[in-house]
Amino acid sequence: MHLIRTLLLLAGLATLAACGDSKFKTYNGPEVTQVYVNKTDRKMYLLHHTKVLESYDIALGFAPQGHKQFEGDGRTPEGVYYIDRRNPNSAYHLSVGISYPNPYDREAARAVGKSPGGDIFIHGQAGKSKGMPPDWTAGCIAVKDKEIEDIYAMLRDGTPIIIAP
């Protein structure tokens, strides 16, 4: 009987220990009121009004210069967008969606007879950046997996994101 209790206790402790490694974090700090991305410097900042809460080194689309114009161009969009969705089952660990394309983006792509594309996210790496150039995504913003865990917890849908050249 004592052996069974000991085994049950150990199993319970193992279960609790596994919970500590969850990719889903909690955040109780100041609200992130804006995300600012500087493509030239390869930096992303989470802000509470004018105060920088966190900053991250980032990777961009494989053709980082200029605004995304159409699907497949490898560029990361520029402009004002919003965080509009979350993907807990991302192929890139975790991801939060960016509201690209906006009506202007759709019209600009349509004017040249192309699709604007979509599915632009801030996401982790999930081992997919190994052996790749510094800017390796198809137009997304990539950070380390541990960083996207914090970002995923900190950002709320509707948070503005400014992506500057």
Side-chain angles (χ1 to χ4, degrees), residues 58-144:
I58 59 172
L60 300 169
F62 61 82
Q65 299 297 326
H67 174 60
K68 182 166 195 60
Q69 296 176 331
F70 50 84
E71 185 172 20
D73 67 6
R75 293 181 176 159
T76 302
E78 296 172 356
V80 178
Y81 299 93
Y82 297 89
I83 301 303
D84 67 350
R85 61 202 182 279
R86 332 172 69 58
N87 184 356
N89 300 310
S90 173
Y92 296 91
H93 194 56
L94 289 171
S95 60
V96 292
I98 297 172
S99 64
Y100 176 88
N102 63 27
Y104 170 81
D105 299 319
R106 283 188 199 90
E107 182 53 38
R110 190 175 8 251
V112 295
K114 299 199 176 210
S115 166
D119 285 338
I120 301 296
F121 287 87
I122 301 168
H123 61 64
Q125 298 176 353
K128 299 199 179 357
S129 66
K130 289 185 181 12
M132 299 295 280
D135 290 315
W136 58 272
T137 77
C140 295
I141 299 165
V143 296
K144 295 175 182 166

Side-chain angles (χ1 to χ4, degrees), residues 4-16:
I4 293 173
R5 277 192 221 152
T6 302
L7 289 174
L8 288 173
L9 177 63
L10 288 174
L13 289 174
T15 301
L16 285 175

Side-chain angles (χ1 to χ4, degrees), residues 23 25 91-94 123-128 142-152:
K23 66 182 179 179
K25 310 284 185 196
Y92 296 91
H93 194 56
L94 289 171
H123 61 64
Q125 298 176 353
K128 299 199 179 357
V143 296
K144 295 175 182 166
D145 288 347
K146 288 292 183 192
E147 294 170 339
I148 193 60
E149 291 174 4
D150 294 334
I151 293 164
Y152 192 91

